[in-house]
Amino acid sequence: MVKVLNAVTLDLLKKGINQWPYPWDPFVVKQAIERDEGYVVRLDAQIIGAFYIYSVSKLSDLPIEPQSLYISKIAILPEYQGRNIGSQIIRFACSLTQKQNKTLYLDCWAGNEKLKGFYRVQCLEYVGDFPEEDYFISIFKFSGHVRK
């Protein structure tokens, strides 16, 4: 998983997209896996993608509903991008969200117009842009559950 995250981060940096810090800390990634928050995408025996899904009660001052799910760090090796793998990851996360009767949130660097367009095509609702340290993030959500 670390190898994929590092490869994708370097590719993003080459494109001028400062989405994640580099290099990834293997210990932090291992902890996420142990908490069942880290997921990998395999093609045959090779790991070609990775992402995180975790529960949040409150995420700083962002407009996140309590007890929702957050998907982050969706990373697909550059040579496998453009093959609908990202869409499959989003569908998986939305399905998991529906089963748990929760709301799903995700974000990206506000300057990543390509990714923001991808999220919109996936029928994710744009929430807004919010400050995060020295840059802005765009937040999207999926509310696939029935409110009681």
Side-chain angles (χ1 to χ4, degrees):
M1 188 169 177
V2 173
K3 191 174 179 180
V4 169
L5 291 167
N6 279 333
V8 172
T9 301
L10 283 176
D11 186 60
L12 289 170
L13 289 171
K14 284 182 203 170
K15 296 174 182 174
I17 300 170
N18 187 22
Q19 184 76 20
W20 304 318
Y22 177 85
W24 286 83
D25 182 339
F27 179 73
V28 172
V29 174
K30 182 179 181 217
Q31 285 182 319
I33 293 168
E34 289 172 352
R35 288 189 307 264
D36 292 328
E37 296 175 349
Y39 294 79
V40 296
V41 178
R42 294 180 191 271
L43 182 62
D44 299 320
Q46 181 183 1
I47 296 174
I48 61 165
F51 59 98
Y52 290 71
I53 299 177
Y54 53 92
S55 293
V56 291
S57 53
K58 181 156 175 56
L59 197 59
S60 63
D61 293 329
L62 299 173
I64 306 297
E65 293 176 32
Q67 306 309 314
S68 57
L69 296 179
Y70 215 90
I71 182 170
S72 67
K73 288 130 183 107
I74 301 171
I76 302 163
L77 289 174
E79 59 269 29
Y80 292 96
Q81 294 175 8
R83 299 185 187 186
N84 242 2
I85 297 166
S87 297
Q88 292 173 32
I89 291 170
I90 297 294
R91 280 195 302 273
F92 169 81
C94 290
S95 175
L96 183 66
T97 300
Q98 284 180 311
K99 288 177 186 171
Q100 294 185 22
N101 198 29
K102 295 187 177 188
T103 300
L104 175 72
Y105 289 89
L106 64 157
D107 67 60
C108 66
W109 173 54
N112 192 338
E113 295 300 327
K114 184 176 179 182
L115 187 54
K116 288 164 57 175
F118 170 75
Y119 289 157
R120 286 184 179 108
V121 168
Q122 302 304 311
C123 298
L124 298 170
E125 177 188 340
Y126 172 72
V127 176
D129 290 346
F130 302 90
E132 175 95 2
E133 296 178 26
D134 60 345
Y135 58 95
F136 278 79
I137 59 170
S138 296
I139 296 182
F140 293 82
K141 77 176 184 176
F142 170 75
S143 300
H145 65 279
V146 178
R147 298 195 192 288
K148 295 179 181 180

